[in-house]
Amino acid sequence: MSAVTDKYHDPLMCLLRTPDLAQGFTPEQWNLALGQAEQAQLMGVLASQYQSSLSRLPEIVQQRLAWANSLVEHQQRSVKMALLQLFDALGMYSPMLLKGAAYQVAGTPNVAGRMMADIDILIPKQHLQKAEQSLWLHGWDNRGKTPYDEKYYRAWMHELPPFVHQKTGIVLDLHHHWLPSSCRWQFDINEVFKKASFCAGSPFLIPDIKDLCIHSAIHLLTSGEGDKGWRDLRDLYLLSELTQREHLLARAEQFGLFKPVTKVLLLAEQLFGQEPVSPTVSWSLKAMLPAHSSYQSWQTSGAKMRFYCQAHLLRMPLPLLLPHLMRKAAARYAKA
């Protein structure tokens, strides 16, 4: 473990980097670490990390990690069943899994304990209309949005309005690209389909490991969700260990994404690599901090706002972005 990491202020990062440190943790450190893990959506990862040695941890820690592990197992079962239903609806449209669902089916190293907010599926754009209608017939609904929100998704974004299953409540994002149509970065998504393959036991396509890495990096930069940055950077670091760096960067260069992918890879290595640094050493890393009270400061708030604004500027050019933000702000004010 790097000497620059403070186990009293950054206990979660210490545990993620050096699991054996848990034996010396005080109740206060554990309380802080678990609070940070909840905010970073890494509680399940901790539960998986200590599953074989759970009995050696304090009793209250055992209880909280056991509960987190049960939630992960329940979600993984639910996702597995949902994917069977989704293939019935989308199987004829060459569906490809992305992000969390792809990690689960492919069994990548980062999947242990990982929770996901929704299921992400990519299909060729020409099939969107028929796929949407098929999903409606199979119990997935995305109707009821305002006319503006419908336009936002269908004209500018890389996905349809989110679907929710009427019985299970599981959320589906149906993509036709990785990047919004209004994004400054663009490439031919058919190149991703060309390199995709099937995993044993699943009828869904899974992106090539290099493409999983690139999508992980680009999604972090364009989502603006820095509060989950530790989870996403850990995903990227573990995924990138499965491929040769020069091949990964060559693939990113092919998509015109060399600079952004390199930037996010550097952040991942700074947190989880062989020579880790303090998670507060730069504004980019401060933007990735969990939304926990232990990290509250004007510097952290400023870094997160900067990251959020940069992400939105990547997603939409300023002439589109400013009216969009004004409209959304007015809508929130009207509801208040």
Side-chain angles (χ1 to χ4, degrees):
M1 182 190 67
S2 172
V4 298
T5 304
D6 181 357
K7 68 179 182 180
Y8 297 100
H9 192 246
D10 310 311
L12 173 59
M13 186 54 66
C14 287
L15 293 177
L16 293 173
R17 291 173 175 174
T18 315
D20 290 344
L21 285 177
Q23 300 306 315
F25 262 37
T26 65
E28 291 77 14
Q29 288 171 298
W30 269 116
N31 186 56
L32 182 53
L34 295 179
Q36 292 175 347
E38 287 178 342
Q39 293 300 319
Q41 297 191 12
L42 287 168
M43 186 70 92
V45 170
L46 277 188
S48 174
Q49 183 170 289
Y50 292 108
Q51 191 167 16
S52 61
S53 58
L54 198 62
S55 61
R56 297 198 292 271
L57 302 181
E59 184 175 354
I60 186 63
V61 176
Q62 292 183 41
Q63 293 172 1
R64 293 179 68 178
L65 293 184
W67 174 248
N69 191 57
S70 67
L71 287 178
V72 171
E73 291 177 349
H74 173 74
Q75 184 184 77
Q76 290 180 346
R77 289 194 298 269
S78 298
V79 168
K80 186 175 181 179
M81 294 185 64
L83 290 179
L84 294 175
Q85 299 169 345
L86 283 165
F87 193 78
D88 288 340
L90 300 174
M92 66 289 292
Y93 305 119
S94 303
M96 181 189 302
L97 299 179
L98 300 176
K99 298 192 298 185
Y103 305 153
Q104 179 171 324
V105 170
T108 53
N110 60 315
V111 77
R114 191 187 189 279
M115 297 286 286
M116 66 185 84
D118 48 38
I119 295 173
D120 294 272
I121 293 180
L122 176 74
I123 65 169
K125 190 173 184 178
Q126 65 267 25
H127 298 319
L128 274 183
Q129 183 176 1
K130 290 183 178 180
E132 184 175 33
Q133 294 170 351
S134 181
L135 286 167
W136 290 344
L137 294 174
H138 286 79
W140 298 85
D141 195 7
N142 67 342
R143 291 164 288 191
K145 301 290 188 297
T146 66
Y148 177 78
D149 285 343
E150 287 285 340
K151 180 180 178 181
Y152 171 78
Y153 279 102
R154 297 179 188 275
W156 300 321
M157 290 297 103
H158 53 305
E159 59 191 353
L160 294 180
F163 294 82
V164 179
H165 194 273
Q166 295 173 343
K167 290 185 177 180
T168 65
I170 291 177
V171 178
L172 165 70
D173 286 340
L174 187 65
H175 299 248
H176 60 83
H177 206 286
W178 288 353
L179 296 166
S181 302
S182 55
C183 182
R184 68 177 64 175
W185 300 323
Q186 291 298 329
F187 64 93
D188 185 0
I189 196 66
N190 289 321
E191 294 299 318
V192 176
F193 280 95
K194 290 178 183 178
K195 293 289 186 178
S197 60
F198 294 99
C199 285
S202 173
F204 286 92
L205 287 167
I206 303 294
D208 179 81
I209 187 62
K210 296 183 290 295
D211 292 345
L212 283 176
C213 291
I214 295 169
H215 186 217
S216 175
I218 296 306
H219 177 263
L220 176 58
L221 288 180
T222 57
S223 70
E225 298 176 346
D227 292 348
K228 298 187 292 185
W230 284 7
R231 185 199 68 173
D232 294 344
L233 290 173
R234 179 179 179 273
D235 284 342
L236 178 57
Y237 179 76
L238 293 175
L239 291 170
S240 68
E241 293 287 285
L242 302 178
T243 185
Q244 294 184 26
R245 182 59 53 89
E246 59 269 26
H247 294 166
L248 171 56
L249 295 179
R251 182 67 163 172
E253 179 68 34
Q254 178 185 348
F255 293 157
L257 299 171
F258 179 86
K259 287 185 177 179
V261 170
T262 301
K263 175 182 178 179
V264 185
L265 278 170
L266 176 60
L267 294 178
E269 290 173 348
Q270 287 178 329
L271 285 185
F272 300 105
Q274 296 300 312
E275 298 181 2
V277 302
S278 167
T280 59
V281 74
S282 66
W283 85 262
S284 296
L285 287 176
K286 286 179 180 176
M288 303 293 108
L289 292 170
H292 189 268
S293 59
S294 60
Y295 289 121
Q296 286 183 353
S297 70
W298 69 265
Q299 296 100 328
T300 299
S301 298
K304 288 183 176 293
M305 179 55 67
R306 179 179 173 183
F307 180 70
Y308 179 83
C309 291
Q310 286 186 344
H312 276 75
L313 283 170
L314 287 172
R315 290 163 66 90
M316 303 179 79
L318 204 57
L320 281 179
L321 179 60
L322 287 179
H324 170 70
L325 294 179
M326 292 174 65
R327 182 182 286 269
K328 301 302 286 185
R332 284 195 294 269
Y333 178 79
K335 291 181 180 179

